[in-house]
Amino acid sequence: MNDSAEKAVRVLVVDDEPAILAAFGEVLRPKTASAEGAAQRMRDLERTLFGDGESETGPLVELTALNQAEPAVEAVAQAVAQGRPFAVAFVDVRMPPGPDGVWAVKEMRARDQALEIVVMTAYSDVPPGRIAQMAPPPSKLLYMQKPFHAHELRQLVASLSDKWRSQRELERTQRELERRVEERTAQLAQANASLREEIERRRANQAELARSEQNLRLILDCLPVGLMITDSAGKVLRVNAAALKLSGHAHENDLLGRHCREIIAEHEQSPWPPSAEPGPSQPCESTLMRLSGEGLPVLVSAIALKLDGQDVLLQAIADLSERKNWERALNESEARYRQLVEFAPAGIYEFDFSASRFLSVNEVMLEYTGYDRDEFLALRPEKLLTPESLRDYLGQQKQLLAGDISSQTNEYQFYTKSGRTMWALVNANFVFDGQGRLVGRVVANDITARKQAEQDKVLMESRIRQAQKMEALGSLAGGVAHDFNNILNAVIGFTELALRELGEQETPKAYLKHVLQAGRRASELVRQILTFSRGGEPEKKPIHVAIVVKEVLKLLRASLPAGIEIKQNIQNADEVVLADPSQIHQVMMNLCANAAQAMGESGLLTVELRKVTLGRPLELDMASLPPGPYVQLVVADNGPGVEPAHIGRIFEPYFSTKSASGGTGLGLAVVHGIVKGLDGAIDVKSAPGAGCQFRVFLPIPGLAADDDQETPNHLPMGHETILLVDDEPELVRLGLGVLEVLGYRVESATDPEEALRMFLAEPARYDLLLTDQTMPKMTGLELIERVRARRGGLPVVLCTGYGEQVARILAQRGENVRLAQKPVLMAELAQAVRLALDETGPERREQ
């Protein structure tokens, strides 16, 4: 873009009259050479009409002329978007056939707030106030009537252009000032923040210094040993509370400035104070001169150091008066002690830690260990203590020699002369004897019987805790299984309804059949969980093992690492065993998961299934199989294998060669328990580096398999009225759908109390009650009891996940109730309802 285009003022003219647009062009556009004569004639005409006026032609204008309002509004929007907005817009009020100028003014103002707008009209039928209201502000809106003079038009364009440019320049200047103010404000804020941080840092340092001084004074005053700090000349600079107490003075000022020799007498064997040489001095005994004038025996040690750049001597003063009294008392009681040791009812001995030998032993300790006196005194600790007790002893010996402990109470296990072990509760005190030896004086009591009782108690408590955990786990499993049963009931039921509605659509029907099959397998697993929670036996039925094996392999493929290849060889797929399908599922999952964990991220997992017939007994490591037909399941991996020492233990509960986070040690124990419960056997072959192979043998009973069946197309139906009760809205919707498909009239309730009110209001209305057992406020059995109190012959179908328990209760009551085990399939529900209605009879139902 050239300089003239940059300096030109953009002007928009909107008028439906071509002559007006041409006149604007003649007046405002720059003149070319070819048009110079016409321009001169125009100026001559202006002089003739208006006299000599302003000779200037006005600013350089880039003119855009449009004859309708809508293109003009679009031109204003595009100009703003391109960053080249119009400065002035001349808009005619009337521009048929499109929108008028008033609309254009309003829309232009909405798109460009800075645009200077001049409204032109030949008539004064549009009030200026109305236009100003629609396109504020008034300062950017002019109203003028046609016709107008050329020099007035140029002057108006020049004035409005200058105003527009001045406004833009003012806005740019204001933005620049605001930016500079913001930058300066940010700089000042940063400087203020830095200054505040520095002030806070200095305050924190001062507070820390004050706290350090206070803490130092507190620590010094809390120490039980007297401390005195002197300068290099021996004058006292500071003393702590313990030193004041030892000297008998009340205030620190009583001692400050005095020479240390006035407080602590010079010792005969070493001068006092000691020379201020680097490192601590040897402790020495001396006498502290108290305020009362008496001397106090003390043990003094000193160390030279620098304090605030000054050479000082830190002296620690310990009161020896009590120890002196002890020494006198000890000498007096030595003889009595020797007599008491021999007659004490516990084992007593002394041990010299400096020479690591026994000094003395009494008769009771000799009876405990079976040694005679000379043999015992010649023993070393490593010959008397078991390895674990020896480690404890050596650890405490380090603490003792470091001065961390002066006594201890511990339980040690000793070897006796005969080789058996005994437990003793050892109480030891460590002292320096008169020869400067560190001696341990030990009292040992035989606690072997108590330790055995404690071990028995721990074992019993462990068994009780395990039993409680299993009981709690059973309760939890039962509760989870009950809730899951309700979910499965909805999944299976709505799937069956969808299958009936699909007609001949085979692809979605095939998908839904897979969903139905998985739901039934899940329901079998829930039944096993409920059996576990009740402590009963799993439900065994003839099943095809191959079907379960293939299902597990499909599940595993999605969860195993991509580097593990699965190779399967399924033969004799029609063979049947007597088992719970979920148990076979669990055996497969545990064996395959164990193999996958052994291989890590890559390897080969081989699964084989075939029929084998044993002509004679087969002896395995952990079982013996009688002759006969068996299904043999083989799960093998090419992982690192199992150590020979671990082969015999891998089926033990809680035994695991993995890390603490790698497994519980229960997987193979569960597999072994399931296989044994199915009258089968399992063995393992493995060697380090050669992988691992598990073989499972399950007997073939010669029965037909109880395979999953599709929902039959022809179900028993009816037309009776049924009262449906379940606290789960989803199951109520499912029941309504199934029963209405079967032809019945259904009324439902999600609250058993509401259902009871419905029934009592019209007892004869209902032909059958279909209710859930586990509901809030009132159980199904309670609802049945209250309903039959009014109508004794009413047929009832009770849905429950605890069929055995409910059946026992009903048998005790003598109630005739048809049970439906959750999750209830459509065929099972249809059969149960029809049987309950038919076996009661209409005349009985009317009672």
Side-chain angles (χ1 to χ4, degrees), residues 523-544:
S523 69
E524 292 174 359
L525 180 59
V526 170
R527 287 193 179 101
Q528 184 183 4
I529 294 173
L530 288 172
T531 300
F532 165 74
S533 67
R534 295 192 298 267
E537 291 294 328
E539 180 184 356
K540 297 180 182 179
K541 61 182 180 180
I543 62 168
H544 286 131

Side-chain angles (χ1 to χ4, degrees), residues 12 113 222 229 237 265 316 320 399 433 449 483 505 595 617 623 700:
L12 174 65
Q113 295 293 322
C222 290
I229 301 176
L237 301 176
L320 291 182
Q399 292 180 291
D433 65 3
D483 292 339
Q505 302 179 52
I700 298 176

Side-chain angles (χ1 to χ4, degrees), residues 661-675:
S661 61
T664 62
L666 288 174
L668 292 179
V670 169
V671 170
H672 181 267
I674 292 174
V675 173

Side-chain angles (χ1 to χ4, degrees), residues 142-263:
L142 292 180
Y143 186 90
M144 81 179 185
Q145 292 183 339
K146 300 177 184 177
F148 42 81
H149 296 292
H151 71 279
E152 292 176 347
L153 178 61
R154 283 194 296 271
Q155 184 61 36
L156 181 61
V157 170
S159 298
L160 293 179
S161 299
D162 289 343
K163 177 184 176 184
W164 180 79
R165 281 174 171 162
S166 299
Q167 183 66 31
R168 287 172 62 89
E169 184 63 29
L170 179 62
E171 290 175 355
R172 281 195 295 269
T173 302
Q174 184 172 353
R175 286 195 297 270
E176 177 64 20
L177 288 174
E178 289 175 353
R179 183 187 64 79
R180 292 182 180 181
V181 169
E182 288 179 359
E183 289 180 355
R184 185 56 179 163
T185 302
Q187 293 172 356
L188 290 175
Q190 184 176 2
N192 287 337
S194 300
L195 182 59
R196 285 195 296 271
E197 289 178 2
E198 180 63 25
I199 292 172
E200 290 299 324
R201 189 181 303 110
R202 292 188 180 184
R203 287 177 179 172
N205 291 339
Q206 292 174 354
E208 184 63 28
L209 289 175
R211 282 195 298 271
S212 298
E213 179 69 22
Q214 184 179 4
N215 291 339
L216 177 60
R217 167 57 64 183
L218 182 62
I219 291 171
L220 292 177
D221 287 341
C222 290
L223 289 175
V225 177
L227 294 177
M228 182 168 62
I229 301 176
T230 62
D231 60 15
S232 57
K235 290 186 177 181
V236 178
L237 301 176
R238 178 175 290 180
V239 293
N240 70 345
L244 286 174
K245 183 176 180 181
L246 289 175
S247 66
H249 291 85
H251 301 288
E252 184 181 29
N253 292 334
D254 295 338
L255 298 178
L256 296 183
R258 296 175 59 183
H259 198 279
C260 61
R261 287 197 186 93
E262 301 177 29
I263 303 169

Side-chain angles (χ1 to χ4, degrees), residues 448-462:
T448 304
R450 193 194 81 187
K451 292 291 288 185
Q452 184 61 45
E454 289 177 353
Q455 293 176 359
D456 294 343
K457 179 182 177 183
V458 169
L459 180 60
M460 182 61 68
E461 289 176 347
S462 175

Side-chain angles (χ1 to χ4, degrees), residues 51-202:
D52 292 335
E54 182 62 47
S55 61
E56 294 181 2
T57 61
L60 185 62
V61 173
E62 179 184 338
L63 184 65
T64 300
L66 298 171
N67 61 359
Q68 288 296 320
E70 290 177 340
V73 172
E74 179 63 26
V76 170
Q78 290 181 0
V80 171
Q82 294 170 358
R84 299 182 61 242
F86 289 102
V88 185
F90 291 88
V91 183
D92 190 19
V93 172
R94 299 187 179 277
M95 291 181 287
D100 61 8
V102 176
W103 176 86
V105 168
K106 176 183 176 183
E107 295 299 320
M108 287 178 182
R109 176 65 71 226
R111 288 157 177 75
D112 188 350
Q113 295 293 322
L115 180 64
E116 298 286 344
I117 299 176
V118 180
V119 178
M120 304 179 301
T121 180
Y123 309 99
S124 53
D125 56 348
V126 181
R130 176 189 168 194
I131 302 176
Q133 290 177 356
M134 298 180 67
S139 61
K140 291 187 176 294
L141 182 68
L142 292 180
Y143 186 90
M144 81 179 185
Q145 292 183 339
K146 300 177 184 177
F148 42 81
H149 296 292
H151 71 279
E152 292 176 347
L153 178 61
R154 283 194 296 271
Q155 184 61 36
L156 181 61
V157 170
S159 298
L160 293 179
S161 299
D162 289 343
K163 177 184 176 184
W164 180 79
R165 281 174 171 162
S166 299
Q167 183 66 31
R168 287 172 62 89
E169 184 63 29
L170 179 62
E171 290 175 355
R172 281 195 295 269
T173 302
Q174 184 172 353
R175 286 195 297 270
E176 177 64 20
L177 288 174
E178 289 175 353
R179 183 187 64 79
R180 292 182 180 181
V181 169
E182 288 179 359
E183 289 180 355
R184 185 56 179 163
T185 302
Q187 293 172 356
L188 290 175
Q190 184 176 2
N192 287 337
S194 300
L195 182 59
R196 285 195 296 271
E197 289 178 2
E198 180 63 25
I199 292 172
E200 290 299 324
R201 189 181 303 110
R202 292 188 180 184

